[in-house]
Amino acid sequence: MKRCLPAWLSGYRREYLAGDLSAGLVVTLLLAPQGLAYALVAGLPAEAGLYASIAPLLIYALAGRSHAQSVGPMAMTSLLVAATLARLAEPGSGDYLALAIGLALMSGLMLAVLGLLRLGFIADLLSEPVLAAFTSASALLIVLSQLGPLLGVSSGGAALPQLLSGLWRAVDDINRIALPFGASALVLLLLARWRGDACLRRCGLTAAARQLWLRLAPLLAVLVGMALVAGLDLSAALPVVGAVPSGLPAPAWPALSLAQWSQLALPAFFIALVNYVQSLAVVQTLAQRRGEEVDPDRELLALGLCNIGAGLSGGFPVTGGLTRSLVNAEAGAQTQLASVIAALGLLLLAGFAAAWLALLPLPVLAAMIIASVAGMIRFDSLRLAWRTDRADAAAFALTFALVLWLGVDSGIVAGVLTSLAAMLWRSSRPHIAELGRLPGSHHFRNRLRFAVEHLPGALFLRVDESLFFGNARQVRGEVLARLAARPDASRLLLIMSAVNRIDTSALLMLARLDAELAARGVTLHLAEIKGPVAQRMEGGGLLAGFSGRVHLSTQAAWEALAA
Amino acid sequence: MKRCLPAWLSGYRREYLAGDLSAGLVVTLLLAPQGLAYALVAGLPAEAGLYASIAPLLIYALAGRSHAQSVGPMAMTSLLVAATLARLAEPGSGDYLALAIGLALMSGLMLAVLGLLRLGFIADLLSEPVLAAFTSASALLIVLSQLGPLLGVSSGGAALPQLLSGLWRAVDDINRIALPFGASALVLLLLARWRGDACLRRCGLTAAARQLWLRLAPLLAVLVGMALVAGLDLSAALPVVGAVPSGLPAPAWPALSLAQWSQLALPAFFIALVNYVQSLAVVQTLAQRRGEEVDPDRELLALGLCNIGAGLSGGFPVTGGLTRSLVNAEAGAQTQLASVIAALGLLLLAGFAAAWLALLPLPVLAAMIIASVAGMIRFDSLRLAWRTDRADAAAFALTFALVLWLGVDSGIVAGVLTSLAAMLWRSSRPHIAELGRLPGSHHFRNRLRFAVEHLPGALFLRVDESLFFGNARQVRGEVLARLAARPDASRLLLIMSAVNRIDTSALLMLARLDAELAARGVTLHLAEIKGPVAQRMEGGGLLAGFSGRVHLSTQAAWEALAA
């Protein structure tokens, strides 16, 4: 029995309880408005945000390993959901909600399967500069998309051109009550971020307490906003969240056709990828504070189950949030019991007190979202990349521009491709050295650096990189060019001592190169093939058909070709 | 003046003329029905196929280098166009046509820009197994999508599930006149492919003549089909191409909004990629026959201009076709004059004889398409990959399944990602060796293979691969694991002799690792950093902040740490 329980539960100590309880309550109060806000960013009814907040907290507590990770709706994920679904259904329709639930289920399933297959390396599909560019550009899009609600106007759009033109058209409709509400909330929250710490320090608070209070500032803004709406009876004069049905999330399976599931597959993969990268970063940050070990595959599985749970209870894709998890840790969370308590708190809120949330003014929610993502717009990664690696700087700039121009959904595809294309570009032109023999020895060296002797009619080339589809074509071209410069050479030796790996594309290239050379009367010889590479060549039956021979060492090849 | 002319024109010899003329005429007759057929695959009016055939032939003749390359509509490209546009507009609508034209313009612009930037390496984004899987699965989808027209029923769908269910629903509506037309054309064409060569050999034809006649079999089927429809007056009884307006392609710019252009960007990139890879393969095949040199960047530019030309004249994306180009070469094409003649022939046909095409029976066109793509469904690449590299075999299987399940447009994205993920996976776990000193020497070797001595309290690790975002996380994990196994070590030396390149993500990892180790009381030292790597570390200001020191050689580090 005990082995089935999560470690924190079977080893629970009474002294953890006070911290877990207070963290649980604080997180409940923070998550309720955050869930609503991110549901609205995703174009979903407010209650979906509450539902998406509950099951993931419980599931992570059972399946995850981090002591303070808090999984739930996140701004960037919600924007990705909105951008994906905008192409597939009308916001507000039943289909739209069903597709959002489908996205949670499908991305959850993908994460869980990747976790079980121990394929956590997919987090490495995104390089740091590309991830930073994606995050900054998405945050900018979120800020722009929330300017509409902040000003009390409706302005849609998933990318910069549409957002700007939407805002431009809506300028005349600015709601004169919404504006001061939103603007003052925003100014307050930004002041809290920039000046708050110095201010509270003068009040004599400890560093940890200051951090916690500042992170709770959004909650204060929300409560004041609700109180003002209730007290001044403004619910008709400015946009509010409106009726949130009280009720518990009910298990549900979305009614989607096979074609709709198919359409969700690729976006679900990218949402899964972004969510996993975010969540893993949070877990690593938390782990460093306590010296915990992180098991990326386990986290992959846990996040997958959280998303499946979110989908089954009527929610949308979720991930670990840094702010939320830090609040949890700073409010005293010692174990995942804090998350269990927060889940129960949200459940009570959703079941019995949801009506209270109806008075929440949308401009204040928008201000809260803007303030929370504004700090994510950062260019230090671009600066570092510019100083160290121009290809990375170009990848940053390209990803940033594409996310703004195409929207987050296409932007993330472009970003991943940019990461990988930059890597491909770097390894696509391997170094190839022409070798000769140091006179009187068995040593072979680069002819550009040493005084070496050559075998007449033979060209010795050493390829200094593993061969794969990304450089096969260039290697072929370079070998042919070197051969063209030595028209007397009728025997070509490729020295494979630095080729650690070879793939099918490179094997096919070698076979074709051999045929091509044979047609010109040049025989291709190979030397110093490493074990795994030789094995693959034999497996493919490619060594048997070669025009030349395979030599164990370069010296053996020299002797054989000289004979 | 002469320098502005393409090489084939300024060096034209009279003896080329007969070959070019006959090839031009043969290609005209082949391209007319092919253009119509592929326009219908793309969901476009038949005349768009004619228009898309003319300008690209002329432009390639001016900008391209291959003597026999023939650029025009292709089955796989048309299927990609159809799959992309199905999500964005109603087939048959003006928007649909405008978007198709937009795709040609945008993918052409991308190709041209990539060509000017000499970024031909993007062709390497697709590994051979992934390309083979993509081609086979698309060909299968094309066959299934043409079964509807072959049987005289309408059945839509862009992926396997929809295609199969569409065919299933349409079974009762099979047209009893279309069926024998389509089926007999298909049987004839398949017989010509499988038995034709042996048959014609008995008639005493040379190999080249046999090849040419067999490649022209589709043309024969089309002419017989048209004759039967005209003779038996069947144009009302079975689906025919119908009125094709006579007229010349007029320069036009599609009326698309900025939002629509944005939606086209990513599909246009993938269409450009697939078209370039196909076209380059054709050029390379043709070049090998004549010993021509291929300049990939030049071909990129030429194909880009062809697509821009196709778009400006009301056509859709085009690429080089292998069958078409081989017919051109085998019919005697010596230079691109053959293509110029074919373009003029098609221009005459479009201008004056398009009405004749109205009688072309759709079931025969469908049979022609099926017969031409059926040979592209091949699994030899999977067999080879299975024997040589299981990751490549998995990439083949995954791409094949995803193209069938999701359709070609999402499938190609998934395929590219699969290629790259397989590569990332291979290089994500670099070899790290713990070194010791050969007693009494200055040589350092792997402690697993040699009897070496160690410096107390120090751990010497050599990383045997370049560091980049794809392996940074694993390297950090492995270094920490090695350190955990040596709790006495308070100094860690990373020997960077095999690190040829480093990117921003890896630099950030090193900086974070240093901070993490410093917090545990372990200092991080580096040795044998190569020039370019050291330059980047200095550029990023990362060397200055290091807890330990940078040593020129491992021996120098040994002495410094021993002191």
Side-chain angles (χ1 to χ4, degrees):
Chain A
M1 177 64 203
K2 209 173 171 186
R3 296 194 56 199
C4 300
L5 294 177
W8 62 263
L9 190 50
S10 55
Y12 201 81
R13 296 198 215 151
R14 184 182 290 205
E15 60 260 38
Y16 295 160
L17 194 60
D20 282 343
L21 204 60
S22 69
L25 293 177
V26 165
V27 168
T28 304
L29 294 176
L30 184 74
L31 289 197
Q34 223 182 49
L36 296 185
Y38 295 149
L40 297 176
V41 170
L44 291 165
E47 64 269 24
L50 282 184
Y51 299 165
S53 304
I54 299 171
L57 286 175
L58 290 172
I59 293 172
Y60 189 86
L62 294 173
R65 290 276 171 84
S66 168
H67 73 286
Q69 166 77 311
S70 174
V71 178
M74 270 295 293
M76 218 154 72
T77 307
S78 296
L79 189 68
L80 265 170
V81 170
T84 302
L85 300 189
R87 281 189 284 107
L88 304 177
E90 197 60 39
S93 66
D95 244 21
Y96 191 94
L97 179 59
L99 286 165
I101 294 174
L103 268 182
L105 289 171
M106 197 174 238
S107 66
L109 194 67
M110 287 174 175
L111 289 167
V113 168
L114 288 169
L116 290 173
L117 296 176
R118 310 193 71 75
L119 290 175
F121 85 96
I122 60 142
D124 303 327
L125 280 171
L126 285 165
S127 73
E128 296 253 1
V130 162
L131 182 64
F134 176 73
T135 309
S136 296
S138 326
L140 188 55
L141 287 180
I142 293 172
V143 167
L144 288 173
S145 75
Q146 292 305 309
L147 282 182
L150 187 85
L151 303 172
V153 300
S154 61
S155 68
L160 196 62
Q162 296 93 305
L163 278 168
L164 289 182
S165 70
L167 282 173
W168 179 251
R169 278 195 304 274
V171 154
D172 293 335
D173 306 329
I174 290 177
N175 181 317
R176 294 190 184 180
I177 300 178
L179 179 59
F181 254 83
S184 52
L186 184 60
V187 168
L188 256 168
L189 290 172
L190 292 178
L191 274 181
R193 173 185 293 265
W194 291 326
R195 295 270 169 266
D197 195 60
C199 200
L200 290 179
R201 193 184 298 149
R202 262 177 258 131
C203 304
L205 284 164
T206 66
R210 292 202 301 273
Q211 288 283 333
L212 182 60
W213 277 107
L214 289 173
R215 288 190 208 282
L216 290 177
L219 188 62
L220 190 73
V222 162
L223 291 175
V224 171
M226 280 167 70
L228 282 175
V229 169
L232 303 175
D233 198 14
L234 290 173
S235 62
L238 90 174
V240 293
V241 166
V244 179
S246 279
L248 299 180
W253 187 260
L256 294 175
S257 69
L258 190 60
Q260 285 175 310
W261 283 111
S262 299
Q263 286 174 321
L264 291 181
L266 207 62
F269 174 75
F270 283 101
I271 289 175
L273 181 66
V274 169
N275 281 346
Y276 176 52
V277 172
Q278 276 191 81
S279 174
L280 191 62
V282 175
V283 172
Q284 279 168 340
T285 306
L286 294 169
Q288 277 177 25
R289 299 183 150 209
R290 297 237 290 203
E292 285 175 339
E293 271 309 304
V294 175
D295 174 355
D297 294 309
R298 177 70 185 217
E299 292 300 323
L300 199 47
L301 176 63
L303 186 64
L305 295 176
C306 287
N307 274 286
I308 293 174
L312 289 178
S313 55
F316 51 99
V318 292
T319 185
L322 188 60
T323 308
R324 192 164 51 203
S325 299
L326 289 178
V327 165
N328 193 25
E330 284 155 9
Q334 297 297 316
T335 72
Q336 282 291 333
L337 183 65
S339 289
V340 174
I341 292 167
L344 295 177
L346 286 168
L347 207 59
L348 286 174
L349 204 66
F352 304 105
W356 278 86
L357 297 169
L359 291 181
L360 218 166
L362 290 184
V364 174
L365 273 191
M368 184 181 118
I369 297 172
I370 292 176
S372 79
V373 301
M376 285 156 57
I377 307 175
R378 297 170 66 112
F379 295 94
D380 40 357
S381 179
L382 173 62
R383 239 188 336 264
L384 177 63
W386 181 257
R387 288 199 310 256
T388 57
D389 184 349
R390 296 289 157 92
D392 270 337
F396 184 106
L398 192 62
T399 307
F400 191 80
L402 289 174
V403 170
L404 287 185
W405 179 40
L406 302 177
V408 272
D409 54 336
S410 301
I412 184 68
V413 182
V416 169
L417 286 175
T418 307
S419 282
L420 295 168
M423 171 193 52
L424 206 59
W425 186 72
R426 280 191 207 107
S427 58
S428 69
R429 292 153 307 168
H431 182 238
I432 294 182
E434 184 181 343
L435 302 194
R437 188 163 74 167
L438 292 175
S441 81
H442 286 185
H443 295 297
F444 291 81
R445 292 286 182 277
N446 190 335
R447 64 176 285 239
L448 299 179
R449 303 220 192 109
F450 294 86
V452 290
E453 54 179 355
H454 297 281
L455 199 61
L459 179 62
F460 282 35
L461 295 178
R462 191 189 63 214
V463 183
D464 283 350
E465 189 136 347
S466 288
L467 295 174
F468 74 112
F469 65 91
N471 61 20
R473 202 168 54 82
Q474 333 277 338
V475 168
R476 174 186 163 280
E478 182 67 20
V479 165
L480 289 178
R482 297 285 180 103
L483 205 56
R486 283 278 308 276
D488 67 301
S490 64
R491 284 155 304 167
L492 173 66
L493 178 72
L494 285 187
I495 301 157
M496 312 270 283
S497 53
V499 178
N500 293 314
R501 286 184 300 271
I502 194 162
D503 76 349
T504 311
S505 308
L507 284 175
L508 284 169
M509 179 277 287
L510 279 183
R512 280 184 212 133
L513 180 65
D514 180 50
E516 221 173 322
L517 292 178
R520 300 187 190 186
V522 176
T523 51
L524 176 62
H525 297 256
L526 301 172
E528 302 194 27
I529 306 177
K530 291 197 169 181
V533 174
Q535 213 175 332
R536 291 202 167 166
M537 295 182 119
E538 277 156 20
L542 287 171
L543 283 183
F546 257 70
S547 62
R549 272 182 52 198
V550 174
H551 308 273
L552 278 181
S553 69
T554 309
Q555 173 63 21
W558 176 284
E559 285 162 12
L561 293 179
Chain B
M1 177 65 203
K2 210 173 173 188
R3 296 195 56 200
C4 300
L5 294 177
W8 62 264
L9 190 50
S10 54
Y12 202 80
R13 296 199 214 151
R14 184 181 289 204
E15 60 260 38
Y16 296 159
L17 194 60
D20 282 343
L21 204 60
S22 70
L25 293 178
V26 166
V27 169
T28 304
L29 294 176
L30 184 75
L31 289 196
Q34 223 180 50
L36 296 185
Y38 296 149
L40 298 176
V41 170
L44 290 165
E47 64 269 23
L50 281 184
Y51 299 165
S53 305
I54 299 171
L57 286 175
L58 290 172
I59 294 172
Y60 189 86
L62 293 173
R65 290 278 171 84
S66 168
H67 72 286
Q69 166 77 310
S70 174
V71 177
M74 270 295 293
M76 219 154 71
T77 306
S78 296
L79 189 68
L80 266 169
V81 170
T84 303
L85 299 190
R87 283 190 282 106
L88 303 177
E90 197 60 39
S93 66
D95 245 21
Y96 191 94
L97 179 60
L99 287 165
I101 294 173
L103 269 181
L105 289 170
M106 197 174 238
S107 67
L109 194 67
M110 287 175 175
L111 288 167
V113 168
L114 287 169
L116 291 173
L117 296 176
R118 310 193 71 76
L119 290 175
F121 86 97
I122 60 140
D124 303 327
L125 281 170
L126 286 164
S127 73
E128 296 253 0
V130 162
L131 183 64
F134 176 73
T135 309
S136 295
S138 327
L140 187 55
L141 287 179
I142 294 171
V143 167
L144 288 172
S145 75
Q146 292 305 308
L147 282 183
L150 187 86
L151 303 172
V153 299
S154 60
S155 68
L160 195 63
Q162 296 93 304
L163 279 168
L164 289 183
S165 69
L167 283 172
W168 179 251
R169 278 196 303 273
V171 154
D172 293 337
D173 307 329
I174 290 177
N175 182 317
R176 296 194 182 175
I177 301 178
L179 178 59
F181 255 82
S184 52
L186 184 59
V187 168
L188 255 168
L189 291 172
L190 292 178
L191 274 180
R193 174 186 293 264
W194 290 328
R195 295 271 168 265
D197 195 61
C199 199
L200 290 180
R201 193 183 298 151
R202 262 177 258 132
C203 305
L205 285 165
T206 65
R210 293 201 301 271
Q211 288 282 332
L212 182 59
W213 278 106
L214 289 175
R215 288 192 208 281
L216 290 177
L219 188 62
L220 190 73
V222 162
L223 291 175
V224 171
M226 281 167 70
L228 282 175
V229 168
L232 303 175
D233 197 14
L234 290 173
S235 62
L238 92 175
V240 293
V241 165
V244 179
S246 280
L248 300 180
W253 186 260
L256 294 175
S257 69
L258 190 61
Q260 285 174 309
W261 283 112
S262 299
Q263 286 174 321
L264 291 181
L266 206 61
F269 174 75
F270 283 102
I271 288 175
L273 181 64
V274 168
N275 281 346
Y276 176 52
V277 172
Q278 277 191 81
S279 173
L280 191 62
V282 175
V283 172
Q284 279 168 340
T285 305
L286 294 169
Q288 276 177 27
R289 297 182 150 210
R290 297 236 290 204
E292 286 175 339
E293 272 308 305
V294 176
D295 175 354
D297 294 309
R298 176 71 185 216
E299 292 300 323
L300 199 47
L301 176 62
L303 187 64
L305 295 176
C306 287
N307 273 287
I308 293 174
L312 288 179
S313 56
F316 52 98
V318 292
T319 185
L322 187 60
T323 308
R324 193 165 48 205
S325 299
L326 288 179
V327 166
N328 193 24
E330 283 155 9
Q334 297 296 317
T335 72
Q336 282 290 334
L337 183 64
S339 289
V340 174
I341 292 168
L344 295 177
L346 286 168
L347 207 57
L348 286 174
L349 203 66
F352 304 106
W356 278 87
L357 296 168
L359 292 181
L360 218 166
L362 291 184
V364 174
L365 273 192
M368 185 182 116
I369 298 172
I370 292 177
S372 80
V373 301
M376 285 156 56
I377 307 175
R378 297 170 66 114
F379 295 94
D380 39 358
S381 178
L382 173 62
R383 241 190 335 265
L384 178 64
W386 182 257
R387 288 199 311 255
T388 57
D389 184 348
R390 296 289 157 91
D392 270 337
F396 184 106
L398 192 63
T399 307
F400 190 81
L402 288 174
V403 171
L404 288 185
W405 178 40
L406 302 177
V408 272
D409 55 335
S410 301
I412 186 68
V413 183
V416 170
L417 286 175
T418 307
S419 283
L420 295 167
M423 170 194 52
L424 206 59
W425 185 71
R426 279 190 207 108
S427 58
S428 67
R429 292 153 306 169
H431 183 239
I432 295 182
E434 183 180 343
L435 303 192
R437 189 164 75 166
L438 291 175
S441 81
H442 286 184
H443 296 296
F444 291 80
R445 292 285 183 277
N446 190 335
R447 65 176 284 240
L448 298 178
R449 303 222 191 108
F450 295 86
V452 290
E453 54 179 355
H454 297 284
L455 200 61
L459 179 62
F460 282 37
L461 296 178
R462 190 189 64 214
V463 182
D464 283 350
E465 189 137 345
S466 288
L467 294 174
F468 74 112
F469 66 91
N471 60 20
R473 201 167 55 80
Q474 333 278 337
V475 168
R476 174 186 162 280
E478 183 67 19
V479 165
L480 290 178
R482 297 283 181 103
L483 204 57
R486 283 278 307 277
D488 67 302
S490 63
R491 283 155 303 166
L492 174 67
L493 178 73
L494 284 187
I495 301 157
M496 312 272 282
S497 52
V499 178
N500 293 315
R501 288 183 300 271
I502 194 161
D503 76 349
T504 311
S505 309
L507 283 175
L508 285 168
M509 180 277 287
L510 280 183
R512 280 183 212 134
L513 180 65
D514 180 50
E516 220 172 325
L517 292 177
R520 300 187 191 186
V522 176
T523 51
L524 177 62
H525 297 257
L526 301 172
E528 302 194 29
I529 306 178
K530 291 196 169 182
V533 175
Q535 212 176 330
R536 292 203 165 164
M537 293 181 118
E538 277 156 19
L542 288 172
L543 284 182
F546 257 70
S547 62
R549 272 182 50 198
V550 175
H551 307 273
L552 277 181
S553 69
T554 309
Q555 174 62 23
W558 177 284
E559 285 162 11
L561 294 180

